[in-house]
Amino acid sequence: ASRSAARRRMLEAAGVEFACADAAVDEETLKAGLVKSGAGAREVAARLTAAKALAADAPAGALVLGAAQTLELDGGDMLSKPG
């Protein structure tokens, strides 16, 4: 599962047993390339999610939950995580 504290709380509240797995994905570089190619917020989130799930250091056969979120304003500008 994600290392996001909010996602961890949601899974715990739902009673889901899970373990966190590292995923070596350079999100900012991947996102920059996607945005440069014209991808919108929905596609960026979908591609980041897939990349993280596929890169997860998880045991063979494990069910892997990848997650990413983006925020797109009415004018089409996309906001990123702070920091």
Side-chain angles (χ1 to χ4, degrees):
S2 169
R3 294 205 179 273
S4 159
R7 289 191 192 99
R8 288 180 72 132
R9 284 191 301 272
M10 284 190 286
L11 291 169
E12 289 168 350
V16 176
E17 290 185 34
F18 64 93
C20 292
D22 288 321
V25 174
D26 183 345
E27 290 185 56
E28 290 307 313
T29 299
L30 180 55
K31 180 180 173 183
L34 290 167
V35 170
K36 186 175 182 179
S37 72
R42 184 175 296 213
E43 184 177 355
V44 168
R47 296 273 189 103
L48 287 173
T49 296
K52 292 191 288 185
L54 292 169
D57 183 20
L63 176 62
V64 178
L65 172 65
Q69 59 193 59
T70 56
L71 177 61
E72 184 175 35
L73 302 174
D74 285 339
D77 292 334
M78 194 177 328
L79 300 182
S80 294
K81 293 182 210 177

